[in-house]
Amino acid sequence: MSWGLLVFLLLVNSALPNGRGDRCQKTQQHRVARIGAVFDFTSRVGKEQRIAIDLAIQDLLHSSCLTVNLDLRDSQGNSAKSTAAVINLLNVKQVEAIIGTLTKQEAALVSELDNRSQNFTIISLPSTAINPPSASLQLPNFLQAANDIVIHMQCLAALVGHFQWRKVTAIYEQNIDFSSNSGMITLLSDSLKLVNSEIEHHQAFPTLSSLCDPDAFFDEELKKLRCKSNRVFIVTQFSLNTAVFLFEKAKEMGMMGKGYVWIVTDEIASLLDSVDSSIKYDMQGVIGIKTNFIETTHTFTKFKTRFRRLYGLQYPEEEENSSPSIFALRTYDAMHAIALAMKNATSKHLSQEIVSTEFQGLSGMMEFKNGMLSQQPTFQIINVFGRSYSEIAFWSPSFGFSDDMNKHLDMKERTNHNYVQVLGPINWPGGLQAAPKGWSTLVDGERPLKIGIPARGAFNQFVKVTYDQDKNQTHISGFSIDMFEAAVKNLPYQLPYVFVPFNGSYDELVEQVYYKGLDAAVGDIEVIADRYHYVEFSQPYISSGLQMVVTVKPDKLKEKWMFMNAFSKSMWLLMITTHLSVCFVVWFIECEHGQNFELEGIGAILWFSVTVLFFVQRERVQSNWARLVLAPWLVVILVVTATFTASLTSMMTISRVQPSVLNVETLKRENGTVGCNGNSFIVKYLIDVLEFRPENIKRISSISDYPKAFQNGDIQVAFFVAPHAKVFLACYCKGYMKAGPIYKPSGFAFVFPKGSPLAIDLSKAILDVNEKKQVELLEKQMLSSFNCSPSLNLNDGPIGYEPFSGLFLISGLVCAFALLVTSGRIAGRHLQNMSCIRAILMKTGILRWAFMYLIQSRRKSQKHCSTTSILETCSTRNMSSGGDIVIITHQ
């Protein structure tokens, strides 16, 4: 059955009596619309759109009493034919609107060639809508029934960023007419930059119909792509036929195997339901981005049944794969949008009416803004596996990824609860379950990475190259080599590499990486700004900077009374005060006891206070209270004495040194000479930044040459990077020390070409090694062969009383308690003796007799005696009375 006959039967059916057409005539609501359509009927999309238009015409006639006079034109995928068809439809057929797969450049060309085109509406049905920046292409009557291409690029970038692929290759189909692909590449590049990725290479493939020998051309281009290290390919703006041929050739060339990543966009992914299973087998592991639409409604189910039936009648050879795609649904909805607008507007204002009208269609909300669909789409992320594909996630520009559509619809709640975005399991090309790293270290599958190492470094503790002439082998070792191997073990993939000794300077080694002579460089390579212009550095694996090392000289000022600096002044004062207090309390307790004649007198207690410091006292302590006071104090003396000995020893062995040169300014003022590694950046830094004279800089090539240069007076100062300084001081710790600040702080890192994904991967691996404390272990192993400590540092100052405050507190409390008890005992005994004497005297009457006797004696002495005689008499009597009192007391 021909297409024209089918349309004729439909029109006849609509005009039958008792039909909807008869009802429209009776109500006088019937209207005829002249619409032109331009599609590529040679493509799968064009065939689906043709069926969708026919179904829309049927539904419009029955629902809106609108008869559509449709004029179909086949562009055959040619832009010139599309433009000619549009002009013909305007001038000859005088259609009111045109629907089809026209680009904005084609519509602009029609507008320039025919002024009438400014008053008619064109609804374009591309896979993505592009809003060109040029003002000449801003067409008010041109509407694109598609989502903004920027959103598609953001989805691609989100997918690339999720797997942390740093570089991608973009593949697109180049049309021979207008080139909007450069704008598409720019948009993709801008989106990838937001996720720290970039387009390493982009390749245009012409349409199959334009090639004389497609096999040879595709083989040649794919071979070029295979030779590159990048393995992530984004296939966009491709027709289905060309994409199918591309994947067929890629599989033949082994580019659908392990390590490869292929991502296809909407114009391919949305049509996978229509391709044979044999084609899907060529696309195993491909990731697709497909516009999502609701397939569970009754309206869609009914439409799908009618679509499949009509598609099978028109294209019986494709009957098995006749499900409608998003492009068919948008075509159907676009026809309804035109019909709704025609009810209220003429052809001149039709586009304005369409923009102001919105309705829920099969493809979603049909609403235009800025010449394209305004509703943000939700993309379905699919993975081709087996005879079909699986859904692995959903993505929208507002909420990112989710693993379920129902959850995605409630994304706001999940966002508030810190939902973690996770993609479902993916079957990658070659059957891999883990995500590929996205690039390959092998070119044509043959060569591992060539990693350069400095063979003439002054410090072979970091990189040491030895040659075994008997076995004809090269042995490479050192701290930097161990660090690189430890980082490589933490990579999530295998990294084949070989070390290549390099005999030039460090700057020349970095240049070799820049000029692609080496794939990377490993060693004690300093991170400096000048090198950033040429290469990319990993995370520094050890901190560094420019350190000045000088000889030491004795500190004459510290030799006199140096032992006093072992303790602080407050510690000395507290020690003396507490010691004298404890000794006084011991003496006081022993005197109160009354039987220790060895501690009588001030001299004895002073001598006792000296001898007890050295535990050589000969005086016996008899009282238990005195022993209680002395015991904790002896513990304090023992601890403080040991601390004093250790501190004084440390001061005499370490702290008696001073740098021979204090700083760079002093060195330059005295016109001193300096030494440094002649192969490193230090020479240039000393001249350009620190402003040393070139003739005052001595280039030294070996660590063992520095002590000789110091002893001979050839140099006064040596400049090292900090890790080298640590090794030098560990090897020659006696007589040398660090001086001055650290200049130009940075670190040692691995070197890679600009944009190399290895720099990021190894940076993460270095952080893992640091967290496991493997760097400290490797550094200790490097320094373990030396007998000296790695550096000489000044002491941290005298010791205060704080470390001994607990012992002082215990001793002081015991001492105060014993003093209080002893004082109480003495006071109690004194009061008891005074009470006894008074009681005896009152009981015997002696006190009263003595008082009366004294009064009488005084009266007699005033009459007969002189003052002196009276005093003598009184004195004699008093003594006599005293004797009586003593006798009475003893009784």
Side-chain angles (χ1 to χ4, degrees):
M1 182 181 296
S2 66
W3 180 257
L5 179 60
L6 181 62
V7 174
F8 174 77
L9 292 176
L10 293 172
L11 292 176
V12 170
N13 179 66
S14 65
L16 288 175
N18 302 323
R20 189 62 58 93
D22 184 61
R23 184 188 66 82
C24 293
Q25 292 179 0
K26 292 180 180 180
T27 57
Q28 296 183 354
Q29 294 178 350
H30 188 270
R31 182 184 173 185
V32 178
R34 301 184 307 275
I35 299 177
V38 181
F39 293 105
D40 178 13
F41 295 138
T42 62
S43 67
R44 169 70 190 198
V45 173
K47 294 175 182 178
E48 290 190 10
Q49 291 169 334
R50 184 172 185 175
I51 300 298
I53 286 181
D54 178 67
L55 295 177
I57 291 174
Q58 296 181 41
D59 294 341
L60 288 174
L61 180 61
H62 287 271
S63 63
S64 304
C65 295
L66 178 67
T67 299
V68 177
N69 286 341
L70 184 68
D71 199 320
L72 288 171
R73 299 297 173 90
D74 185 4
S75 66
Q76 298 180 353
N78 187 284
S79 180
K81 290 184 178 182
S82 296
T83 305
V86 171
I87 295 176
N88 180 264
L89 289 171
L90 288 175
N91 296 327
V92 178
K93 301 298 181 179
Q94 297 183 350
V95 297
E96 301 175 68
I98 292 179
I99 186 171
T101 53
L102 282 82
T103 65
K104 205 158 193 175
Q105 291 84 353
E106 292 169 352
L109 179 59
V110 172
S111 179
E112 292 180 3
L113 298 177
D114 193 338
N115 294 331
R116 184 179 177 276
S117 62
Q118 300 177 0
N119 297 325
F120 76 96
T121 299
I122 296 179
I123 294 185
S124 178
L125 296 165
S127 59
T128 57
I130 300 177
N131 193 10
S134 175
S136 61
L137 296 179
Q138 301 298 330
L139 305 175
N141 295 331
F142 183 82
L143 302 177
Q144 301 177 86
N147 298 113
D148 192 349
I149 191 175
V150 174
I151 302 178
H152 290 255
M153 297 300 107
Q154 290 173 353
C155 183
L156 285 171
L159 194 60
V160 171
H162 180 85
F163 294 103
Q164 299 180 358
W165 295 315
R166 300 307 172 191
K167 291 185 177 183
V168 302
T169 298
I171 303 175
Y172 55 92
E173 187 173 2
Q174 179 69 61
N175 295 323
I176 61 175
D177 40 21
F178 299 103
S179 178
S180 61
N181 297 297
S182 59
M184 179 269 297
I185 293 298
T186 301
L187 292 174
L188 178 58
S189 178
D190 293 340
S191 299
L192 289 173
K193 288 179 181 178
L194 299 178
V195 294
N196 296 322
S197 183
E198 63 178 345
I199 300 176
E200 183 184 40
H201 181 71
H202 58 88
Q203 179 65 48
F205 283 80
T207 59
L208 289 178
S209 59
S210 64
L211 294 173
C212 298
D213 188 357
D215 291 286
F217 179 84
F218 273 69
D219 286 344
E220 183 66 24
E221 296 301 322
L222 288 176
K223 186 179 296 184
K224 294 178 182 177
L225 296 178
R226 189 180 61 181
C227 292
K228 298 184 181 297
S229 62
N230 181 57
R231 291 293 182 264
V232 180
F233 300 98
I234 296 178
V235 182
T236 182
Q237 301 295 313
F238 253 77
S239 64
L240 181 61
N241 292 337
T242 308
V244 168
F245 189 79
L246 171 70
F247 284 107
E248 180 183 348
K249 301 304 293 183
K251 185 175 182 180
E252 290 178 2
M253 299 185 65
M255 298 179 67
M256 298 299 296
K258 294 180 180 180
Y260 285 87
V261 177
W262 293 87
I263 304 174
V264 297
T265 49
D266 202 12
E267 63 276 359
I268 301 174
S270 291
L271 298 176
L272 287 178
D273 289 322
S274 64
V275 300
D276 296 332
S277 57
S278 60
I279 297 176
K280 294 187 180 72
Y281 282 127
D282 291 336
M283 301 175 63
Q284 293 294 293
V286 172
I287 303 297
I289 298 175
K290 174 183 177 183
T291 301
N292 184 70
F293 56 88
I294 301 175
E295 303 182 36
T296 57
T297 63
H298 175 71
T299 304
F300 175 79
T301 304
K302 185 177 179 181
F303 174 83
K304 181 178 179 180
T305 302
R306 296 169 59 205
F307 182 92
R308 291 174 61 93
R309 183 184 304 116
L310 192 56
Y311 194 93
L313 291 174
Q314 185 65 28
Y315 306 104
E317 70 279 2
E318 302 179 19
E319 184 177 2
E320 295 182 1
N321 305 300
S322 56
S323 296
S325 67
I326 185 65
F327 308 112
L329 301 183
R330 284 176 179 169
T331 304
Y332 181 86
D333 291 341
M335 288 295 295
H336 277 268
I338 295 174
L340 290 175
M342 283 184 172
K343 289 183 178 181
N344 305 315
T346 62
S347 60
K348 185 176 182 180
H349 303 286
L350 187 61
S351 62
Q352 299 176 7
E353 185 66 24
I354 294 175
V355 170
S356 61
T357 303
E358 62 180 60
F359 68 95
Q360 182 68 37
L362 294 176
S363 62
M365 182 63 67
M366 184 63 63
E367 180 183 5
F368 291 91
K369 185 177 181 180
N370 297 326
M372 62 185 68
L373 293 180
S374 60
Q375 185 184 24
Q376 289 188 343
T378 297
F379 293 108
Q380 185 180 8
I381 312 301
I382 62 174
N383 177 213
V384 179
F385 179 68
R387 301 179 61 182
S388 184
Y389 58 83
S390 59
E391 301 173 356
I392 59 175
F394 292 88
W395 183 90
S396 67
S398 299
F399 306 112
F401 290 110
S402 62
D403 54 3
D404 185 80
M405 187 58 191
N406 293 328
K407 294 180 181 179
H408 194 85
L409 294 176
D410 196 23
M411 183 65 75
K412 290 183 179 180
E413 180 180 352
R414 299 190 306 113
T415 302
N416 295 335
H417 288 80
N418 296 324
Y419 176 79
V420 180
Q421 298 176 353
V422 178
L423 295 180
I426 300 177
N427 295 280
W428 299 97
L432 286 179
Q433 298 300 315
K437 61 180 181 292
W439 56 275
S440 174
T441 58
L442 305 179
V443 178
D444 291 334
E446 298 176 358
R447 185 179 64 83
L449 281 180
K450 291 194 304 181
I451 299 180
I453 57 172
R456 295 172 50 193
F459 289 80
N460 56 18
Q461 291 82 4
F462 291 87
V463 178
K464 184 177 182 180
V465 181
T466 57
Y467 300 95
D468 189 341
Q469 296 181 354
D470 296 334
K471 298 181 180 180
N472 193 24
Q473 293 180 349
T474 301
H475 298 283
I476 299 171
S477 60
F479 173 78
S480 297
I481 303 300
D482 295 339
M483 185 63 208
F484 177 75
E485 292 175 346
V488 168
K489 291 179 181 178
N490 282 271
L491 291 175
Y493 49 82
Q494 296 294 325
L495 183 68
Y497 61 89
V498 292
F499 289 121
V500 179
F502 184 78
N503 292 314
S505 65
Y506 285 86
D507 287 336
E508 292 172 344
L509 176 61
V510 171
E511 289 176 359
Q512 283 297 310
V513 177
Y514 172 72
Y515 290 119
K516 308 296 184 180
L518 296 169
D519 297 316
V522 170
D524 47 347
I525 304 173
E526 188 82 6
V527 179
I528 58 176
D530 292 342
R531 294 172 180 170
Y532 259 114
H533 297 296
Y534 308 100
V535 295
E536 190 165 329
F537 289 94
S538 68
Q539 170 82 16
Y541 59 86
I542 189 172
S543 59
S544 180
L546 198 59
Q547 181 70 62
M548 187 169 69
V549 174
V550 300
T551 56
V552 299
K553 64 178 181 179
D555 186 4
K556 301 297 183 181
L557 297 176
K558 286 190 176 182
E559 292 184 359
K560 188 176 183 180
W561 303 104
M562 187 182 67
F563 72 92
M564 293 294 293
N565 291 329
F567 290 143
S568 63
K569 293 181 180 180
S570 59
M571 177 63 182
W572 283 115
L573 181 61
L574 179 62
M575 186 71 185
I576 294 173
T577 303
T578 307
H579 181 69
L580 293 178
S581 299
V582 170
C583 292
F584 169 77
V585 172
V586 171
W587 172 77
F588 183 73
I589 294 173
E590 289 295 311
C591 289
E592 186 273 336
H593 194 268
Q595 297 180 359
N596 194 342
F597 300 103
E598 294 181 353
L599 293 177
E600 292 182 353
I602 300 298
I605 189 59
L606 291 177
W607 179 248
F608 174 78
S609 65
V610 173
T611 56
V612 76
L613 288 173
F614 308 100
F615 303 97
V616 295
Q617 70 278 6
R618 295 183 179 181
E619 296 82 2
R620 296 180 58 190
V621 178
Q622 299 179 357
S623 172
N624 290 332
W625 282 101
R627 293 171 181 171
L628 179 64
V629 172
L630 193 59
W633 182 242
L634 291 176
V635 175
V636 175
I637 292 176
L638 177 64
V639 174
V640 172
T641 302
T643 305
F644 175 81
T645 303
S647 179
L648 185 61
T649 303
S650 176
M651 292 171 58
M652 296 180 68
T653 56
I654 294 181
S655 299
R656 293 176 60 191
V657 296
Q658 277 189 336
S660 57
V661 179
L662 297 178
N663 49 50
V664 171
E665 288 72 19
T666 303
L667 185 64
K668 291 194 295 185
R669 186 169 55 250
E670 296 176 354
N671 199 28
T673 56
V674 300
C676 66
N677 184 0
N679 291 328
S680 72
F681 74 99
I682 301 178
V683 176
K684 183 178 180 181
Y685 185 83
L686 292 177
I687 297 174
D688 296 342
V689 180
L690 298 184
E691 298 179 348
F692 279 92
R693 297 179 180 177
E695 60 270 17
N696 290 343
I697 300 175
K698 183 177 178 59
R699 301 169 185 259
I700 300 177
S701 58
S702 173
I703 183 175
S704 59
D705 293 337
Y706 285 96
K708 298 177 183 178
F710 275 115
Q711 293 174 3
N712 298 334
D714 296 334
I715 60 173
Q716 282 75 50
V717 171
F719 280 95
F720 301 98
V721 289
H724 289 175
K726 184 181 293 187
V727 171
F728 177 79
L729 293 175
C731 188
Y732 304 101
C733 60
K734 294 183 180 179
Y736 303 96
M737 67 179 299
K738 299 177 183 178
I742 293 180
Y743 301 93
K744 197 178 178 61
S746 57
F748 287 171
F750 307 137
V751 181
F752 301 95
K754 276 288 186 180
S756 172
L758 261 181
I760 298 175
D761 293 346
L762 275 175
S763 294
K764 293 181 180 180
I766 290 172
L767 293 177
D768 292 337
V769 173
N770 271 317
E771 290 177 359
K772 296 176 183 177
K773 297 185 177 180
Q774 289 180 267
V775 178
E776 298 177 7
L777 179 62
L778 292 174
E779 187 176 2
K780 289 180 180 179
Q781 291 177 354
M782 178 180 62
L783 300 176
S784 62
S785 59
F786 308 115
N787 296 323
C788 301
S789 58
S791 61
L792 297 175
N793 298 318
L794 297 178
N795 66 83
D796 296 329
I799 301 174
Y801 64 86
E802 290 82 1
F804 317 103
S805 57
L807 294 175
F808 276 107
L809 180 61
I810 294 173
S811 180
L813 291 176
V814 173
C815 182
F817 180 72
L819 179 62
L820 181 63
V821 171
T822 303
S823 299
R825 291 174 57 185
I826 294 174
R829 187 181 299 124
H830 175 72
L831 292 174
Q832 184 179 5
N833 291 338
M834 291 298 295
S835 299
C836 292
I837 293 173
R838 183 177 181 182
I840 294 173
L841 292 177
M842 292 300 295
K843 185 176 182 180
T844 57
I846 293 177
L847 186 62
R848 185 171 59 255
W849 175 83
F851 181 72
M852 294 301 296
Y853 178 80
L854 288 174
I855 294 176
Q856 292 176 2
S857 298
R858 182 177 178 82
R859 290 177 179 175
K860 290 180 181 181
S861 64
Q862 289 178 351
K863 295 179 180 180
H864 303 288
C865 302
S866 62
T867 304
T868 307
S869 300
I870 292 174
L871 295 172
E872 291 176 354
T873 303
C874 292
S875 174
T876 303
R877 290 176 180 177
N878 289 335
M879 291 177 62
S880 176
S881 300
D884 294 339
I885 293 171
V886 171
I887 293 171
I888 292 171
T889 301
H890 285 293
Q891 290 176 356

